[in-house]
Amino acid sequence: MGRKLSAFAAVAALLLSFGQVEAATGAGSVTQRIGNPIPDSTAPGNGNQLAGLIVNILPAEAAAAGATWTPPGATAASASGGSLLILLAAGDGGQRALKFSTVAGFDAPVAPVITLTRGFETIVTFTYRRTTAPVLPATASASATRGLTFSFSPRATGSPATSYTATVGGGETLTGLGLELTTSTGTLRGTPAKSGTFTFTFTASNSAGKSTPMVLTLTVTEPVQLVVPVNATQGSVAVTPNRAGLLFAANETVTVTAKPKSPDFLFDGWTFAGATPASVTEAKTKFTFTPGQAVVAATAKFVANPFLTRADSYAGRFAPTANVGVANSGAFALKVTTLGQFTGRLKLGASSFSFKGAFHADGSAPDVTIPRRGQAPITISSLQMDFAGSEQIRGNVDADDGAIAFALDRAVFDAKTNPCPQAAIDSKTGKPTTARYTLVLQPGPTMTPSIPNLGAGTATVLPNGTVRFVGVLNDGTAVAQSAVISKTGTWPFHTLLYQKRGVLTGDLTFRDLGATGDLDGTLDWIKPARSTPGVSDPEGFAVRIGVIGLR
């Protein structure tokens, strides 16, 4: 038993060595420390469930004036020095909050939560602070907008103020200005009914006295009204923040969001009067009002959606008119949605790039910049969709060799509803079927026609307009290429050769050549120089050759 008491005393000594904790409160201060162990002879659970609490109040004048504290869960108040035992249930962390009475001439402390320790007395000392008159600054200023809510609260120091007064100069009244004062907090709030400059005299008081006056200068400016005319049959406009009357302060940031009523319409930009936002091309536009403007009109323009009949896949190739090479030629594909948004795939030289963007309602589109690691970016510029007969998308690819024009053709053919005329018709079923063409590569007009056949192969045309070519060049190089035939019968031919260091590129056209054939065109054949002994054309070449095809 003696050994147990010694261990208990050691724990008590350790707790007492913690000293005291002091914290500032809303008024006055509080200190807390661990006191003596609680005798365990009659306590529940051998004293492990009990905690003691002793509360002292300073200064003595506050205690003598009747300052009291109320323990948690009790209604009877206790005087300074009072103590009690609190039974802590299992899992109870021992946290308790105390309440203190108000005493004339003193500010009662706003007590923190007290943490009790099982088996020990917790001694807490609270200090009441003598009440002093509140202090306000000599001047203050604020701004407001007529018709918009306004709030101002003076910041008094010293002891808390219990009441405020405010008077208006110049023969005005709070009611006449659309304002009211909350006397317990000093908050001036309301919706200003007049514009101009007004002065208010504030005082704050408590039991210790009254502050010296504070003069508030309030400047009330005229609001800016936003007008958003819109054709309700085509779309709507949302305004954020959304206020009654759409009144705003000058220089306030406002967001206007245009939304078409249905997919039949597209947003086509804003027309602004009275303010110029940084951008008028996006469906969601933020802008700042200009001071002095009485009215700002933001008109959303909606137009009939032209992409409902142009949402499709588009493809083509590009190359300069002269000095064609691997690095300045390639293939291009776009997929356009019914809202005019597009995703694209660009093959330039041996590299491929993905990108996206959106057309405006007039078929134009902002430039698209494609970054490249270690190289200047690629720019796709002057994009324009033709809503007329060609059904093409035109533009420029600007890379290392300058701008190169391109034209992408729409994939107009469908095996069921609009079969490709270059396909065949099954003689038994009368339905579209695959057609095959034999292609022969021939010397171009500037080449010596000593080699009549530079290569040959077979082109397969499907009813959906897809054409696939498989062939062999006269140097033994295998060639494979696929594309989509345009509505005018153009076949954009582009394929890389010689481990992507050479290229065969050009446009072929399906047409009736009589006995000569059913398609023709020219291709640029670029073959790199090779250093392998015994190979043909070790210097490489760049030639333009002809193509004849027969079904």
Side-chain angles (χ1 to χ4, degrees):
M1 182 65 177
R3 188 180 301 110
K4 180 178 179 182
L5 288 175
S6 297
F8 194 84
V11 173
L14 177 61
L15 290 171
L16 287 170
S17 69
F18 288 163
Q20 63 184 26
V21 177
E22 181 172 350
T25 65
S29 61
V30 57
T31 60
Q32 177 179 342
R33 65 185 179 88
I34 302 299
N36 296 320
I38 299 173
D40 63 351
S41 59
T42 60
N46 292 326
N48 294 328
Q49 298 288 336
L50 286 179
L53 175 61
I54 300 174
V55 178
N56 298 314
I57 296 176
L58 295 177
E61 294 89 340
T68 60
W69 61 278
T70 304
T75 56
S78 299
S80 176
S83 64
L84 75 157
L85 291 176
I86 298 177
L87 182 64
L88 301 180
D92 188 340
Q95 293 186 331
R96 298 292 189 274
L98 305 181
K99 296 181 181 179
F100 290 83
S101 64
T102 57
V103 178
F106 292 92
D107 295 331
V110 179
V113 174
I114 303 303
T115 301
L116 303 177
T117 303
R118 298 171 185 268
F120 291 87
E121 292 176 335
T122 297
I123 303 173
V124 188
T125 301
F126 290 93
T127 301
Y128 276 65
R129 188 171 61 188
R130 294 186 184 276
T131 301
T132 59
V135 178
L136 288 174
T139 60
S141 61
S143 59
T145 301
R146 183 181 62 80
L148 302 183
T149 57
F150 163 77
S151 178
F152 172 83
S153 296
R155 296 181 179 180
T157 58
S159 295
T162 57
S163 66
Y164 290 82
T165 63
T167 58
V168 194
E172 299 285 352
T173 63
L174 290 177
T175 303
L177 293 179
L179 304 175
E180 62 180 6
L181 176 72
T182 303
T183 57
S184 60
T185 62
T187 301
L188 183 67
R189 62 164 55 91
T191 303
K194 297 180 180 181
S195 59
T197 301
F198 309 96
T199 57
F200 301 78
T201 302
F202 280 82
T203 59
S205 60
N206 58 21
S207 59
K210 183 183 295 186
S211 71
T212 56
M214 180 193 76
V215 177
L216 168 68
T217 301
L218 174 63
T219 302
V220 182
T221 58
E222 281 294 299
V224 178
Q225 183 179 17
L226 177 64
V227 179
V228 284
V230 65
N231 186 334
T233 63
Q234 298 177 345
S236 61
V237 173
V239 181
T240 305
N242 187 13
R243 300 193 183 116
L246 295 183
L247 299 179
F248 300 94
N251 291 323
E252 185 173 359
T253 298
V254 181
T255 303
V256 284
T257 306
K259 183 179 180 180
K261 186 175 182 179
S262 71
D264 294 334
F265 297 96
L266 283 183
F267 171 70
D268 191 32
W270 296 99
T271 300
F272 289 93
T276 305
S279 171
V280 295
T281 60
E282 300 297 332
K284 188 173 184 179
T285 305
K286 290 186 177 180
F287 63 98
T288 302
F289 289 120
T290 303
Q293 288 291 156
V295 178
V296 173
T299 304
K301 181 182 178 183
F302 297 98
V303 296
N305 185 355
F307 301 106
L308 293 177
T309 59
R310 290 297 184 270
D312 216 327
S313 297
Y314 296 76
R317 56 169 287 277
F318 61 92
T321 56
N323 300 317
V324 178
V326 174
N328 61 11
S329 62
F332 207 140
L334 278 184
K335 188 173 182 62
V336 183
T337 72
T338 55
L339 295 179
Q341 300 164 341
F342 61 79
T343 55
R345 188 75 176 170
L346 173 69
K347 293 182 179 180
L348 176 62
S351 301
S352 295
F353 306 92
S354 297
F355 59 92
K356 60 183 179 180
F359 287 103
H360 300 313
D362 63 357
S364 64
D367 292 353
V368 177
T369 301
I370 305 174
R372 290 189 294 178
R373 181 178 298 178
Q375 292 180 277
I378 301 170
T379 301
I380 301 173
S381 61
S382 303
L383 270 175
Q384 181 67 52
M385 175 178 283
D386 180 14
F387 294 120
S390 74
E391 299 187 64
Q392 288 183 327
I393 297 175
R394 297 181 176 274
N396 296 317
V397 175
D398 195 342
D400 303 308
D401 291 347
I404 302 173
F406 63 83
L408 310 182
D409 287 291
R410 181 183 177 189
V412 297
F413 298 118
D414 179 87
K416 294 182 178 180
T417 61
N418 185 30
C420 176
Q422 286 76 32
I425 300 296
D426 189 297
S427 59
K428 294 181 179 181
T429 64
K431 295 181 179 181
T433 187
T434 301
R436 289 177 174 81
Y437 296 77
T438 299
L439 271 65
V440 177
L441 279 62
Q442 302 175 333
T446 60
M447 295 178 61
T448 301
S450 58
I451 305 176
N453 187 350
L454 299 178
T458 300
T460 302
V461 178
L462 304 181
N464 66 359
T466 300
V467 54
R468 299 190 179 104
F469 174 78
V470 176
V472 179
L473 300 178
N474 68 348
D475 63 359
T477 301
V479 180
Q481 196 266 347
S482 65
V484 176
I485 301 173
S486 75
K487 65 183 295 184
T488 58
T490 300
W491 170 5
F493 193 105
H494 181 86
T495 185
L496 296 177
L497 307 172
Y498 312 112
Q499 298 179 331
K500 297 184 178 183
R501 295 187 298 119
V503 69
L504 191 63
T505 184
D507 288 328
L508 306 179
T509 303
F510 287 89
R511 58 177 180 154
D512 186 3
L513 300 172
T516 305
D518 298 290
L519 70 91
D520 65 348
T522 59
L523 299 176
D524 285 293
W525 181 5
I526 312 300
K527 184 173 183 178
R530 295 186 291 177
S531 59
T532 305
V535 301
S536 61
D537 304 309
E539 302 294 329
F541 58 77
V543 296
R544 181 163 290 178
I545 63 175
V547 177
I548 289 291
L550 181 67
R551 180 170 163 177

